[in-house]
Amino acid sequence: MEKLLVKGGNKLRGEVTISGAKNAAVAILPACLLVKGNCRIENLPDIKDVKLFLRILEQLNADVKYIDKNTVDIDCTNVDSYRPLGELTRKMRGSSYLMGALLGRFSNFIVDPPGGCDFGTRPIDQHIKAFKTLGADIDTSKGIIEGSAENLSGGNIFFDVITVGATINAMLAATTANGVTVIENAAKEPHIVDLANFLNNMGANIRGAGTDTIKIKGTKDLHGGTYTIIPDQIEAGTFMIAAAATRGDVVLKNVIPRHLEIISAKLIEAGVNISEGEDSVRVWVNDDTKFKHINFIAMPYPGFPTDMQPQITVALGLSKGTSIVTESIFENRFKYVDELTRMGANIKVEGNTAIIDGVSRYTGANISAPDLRAGAALVLAAMSAEGFSTVDDIRYIERGYEDFHLKLQGLGAQIELIETERDLRKFKLKIG
Ligand code: EPZ
């Protein structure tokens, strides 16, 4: 019955260290399948999706050793299967990358359709298009996805939509294909660049990651090495919004400010103060600040990230005036608005647009996390609300945020993890 109990009203103050990027980790872990040798991965976030991926690799006979909470040695030399366990892979979207990695390693894969947050159909037609361009036959007729290729050879892939997942899968399959692959209309997120840097560190030849054209010269000789994952842009953005929504003063450490530029720009537009260090960002709000209303569209990087849409909508729900938020990536990513409305928000959703009329404050309620990022956003709303809230279904949050409630406690939030009804009574008395 795990849930979070939150008493709102405290301003977040102090320092928080941002963990490694979830969406880089779930791309780099399967990429280890392309390497016959030991890969030491540092700054790995200690989250459920990473733990699940390591179990999948072990189940494929990889040798996985934890060096510490955020450092793992992975040796896939003895991996001898291209059929990962469906009960594991169905739990997250990132497992779709096993298709590209196993195709690149064995020229074969048999996987169950991936899982992941439910805010739209989340098709894989562009992934399949990429694999077919490289010479693979794909069969989805039996409720599973099977891929096979006589020999994978380079080709020109032009994506019909900008897709992070299909860009990553194309990179994984093309890395060891014979010849040159060019990926056009590629996604440019920081985790795409991180994957390319990891693979090049292991001997691959990938150029142009972070632009809309990526060129890959296939090579079979990938060797082991050590790689440090980039800080999580979305975790950082979530804590920036938490500082703003509680009118606090927080320094985020271990960030790459360049990855946060659009988030900083929109917060400054709303009246929040931001100052950047080399690998830190300070976010604070003056006491007399009234948040201004702003409009934005969730776009592919370097646009405003769709994974930050729920969080900033929570903050805008407390700003003066009317804000318009448009979600251009996923067709159904406003489900959390129903929960936010129960906390007193005044938001009207029309198709993929939310019209937000700011209110002075939220009131505590018993709410449920509908998905990973919306779950985090609802915790932010609870911290800015009057009175107590409980947040259910926090398993979603634990998939993508390392020690989320502990980091918030460290910043002065009144938040506790509740496992029993007794805990609930005890902590309500403690928080008072
Ligand atoms: C990745 O999902 C992330 N997940 C998501 O983060 C993120 O929201 C999304 O990219 C966009 O940045 C991981 O990295 C594990 P897409 P993905 O393919 O790859 C359409 C989180 O909270 N599309 O970029 O599934 C699709 O319908 C998660 O960390 C096709 O049409 O997203 C969508 O409209 C949530 N055909 C758009 O592209 C395809 O074959 C972007 O999807 C693939 C995608």
Side-chain angles (χ1 to χ4, degrees), residues 22-23 26 93-94 97 117 119 121-127 161-166 189 191 306-307 329-331 333 372-373:
K22 166 180 95 77
N23 290 343
V26 297
R93 178 75 182 181
Y97 303 147
C117 294
F119 32 66
T121 50
R122 305 193 77 178
I124 59 165
D125 59 297
Q126 300 295 303
H127 298 243
V161 292
I162 297 177
T163 151
V164 167
E189 272 67 8
H191 31 291
T306 174
D307 291 346
I329 308 275
F330 292 109
E331 63 263 35
R333 199 167 192 170
L372 163 54
R373 305 303 176 183

Side-chain angles (χ1 to χ4, degrees), residues 221-232:
D221 311 322
L222 297 189
H223 51 73
T226 298
Y227 191 75
T228 304
I229 287 184
I230 54 168
D232 195 310

Side-chain angles (χ1 to χ4, degrees), residues 366-380:
N366 298 327
I367 49 186
S368 294
D371 62 61
L372 163 54
R373 305 303 176 183
L378 290 170
V379 172
L380 271 49

Side-chain angles (χ1 to χ4, degrees), residues 260-307:
L260 305 173
E261 271 171 1
I262 184 66
I263 299 166
S264 298
K266 296 310 278 186
L267 285 176
I268 290 167
E269 211 181 305
V272 177
N273 302 301
I274 304 265
S275 72
E276 291 179 0
E278 200 178 308
D279 60 356
S280 65
V281 167
R282 181 188 170 207
V283 181
W284 76 101
V285 178
N286 300 330
D287 288 341
D288 58 353
T289 299
K290 291 224 178 319
F291 291 141
K292 297 187 205 78
H293 62 278
I294 57 170
N295 301 333
F296 76 90
I297 302 174
M299 308 272 287
Y301 190 80
F304 193 90
T306 174
D307 291 346

Side-chain angles (χ1 to χ4, degrees), residues 19-161:
S19 301
K22 166 180 95 77
N23 290 343
V26 297
I28 286 168
L29 291 176
C32 294
L33 285 162
L34 298 172
V35 178
K36 288 185 183 160
N38 187 63
C39 298
R40 174 159 293 189
I41 312 293
E42 299 175 333
N43 201 35
L44 201 56
D46 182 26
I47 56 177
K48 284 191 172 171
D49 274 12
V50 163
K51 291 187 179 87
L52 182 58
F53 233 123
L54 293 173
R55 278 177 61 202
I56 291 169
L57 292 176
E58 282 183 310
Q59 178 257 326
L60 292 172
N61 206 29
D63 186 22
V64 175
K65 267 199 220 62
Y66 268 98
I67 306 302
D68 63 37
K69 184 179 172 200
N70 302 108
T71 307
V72 178
D73 277 355
I74 301 168
D75 189 332
C76 292
T77 305
N78 299 321
V79 167
D80 52 8
S81 161
Y82 51 77
R83 176 66 174 108
L85 216 49
E87 67 193 72
L88 299 178
T89 60
R90 282 194 295 270
K91 293 181 177 174
M92 61 175 164
R93 178 75 182 181
S95 61
S96 62
Y97 303 147
L98 288 161
M99 295 190 286
L102 292 168
L103 203 57
R105 171 70 181 264
F106 295 111
S107 296
N108 274 291
F109 65 79
I110 303 174
V111 299
D112 284 59
C117 294
D118 173 17
F119 32 66
T121 50
R122 305 193 77 178
I124 59 165
D125 59 297
Q126 300 295 303
H127 298 243
I128 291 171
K129 171 179 179 170
F131 297 147
K132 285 184 173 174
T133 306
L134 300 178
D137 296 319
I138 306 293
D139 178 0
T140 59
S141 60
K142 307 182 195 86
I144 53 175
I145 312 164
E146 296 177 271
S148 61
E150 279 306 305
N151 60 351
L152 226 45
S153 46
N156 290 341
I157 300 165
F158 201 110
F159 285 127
D160 304 323
V161 292

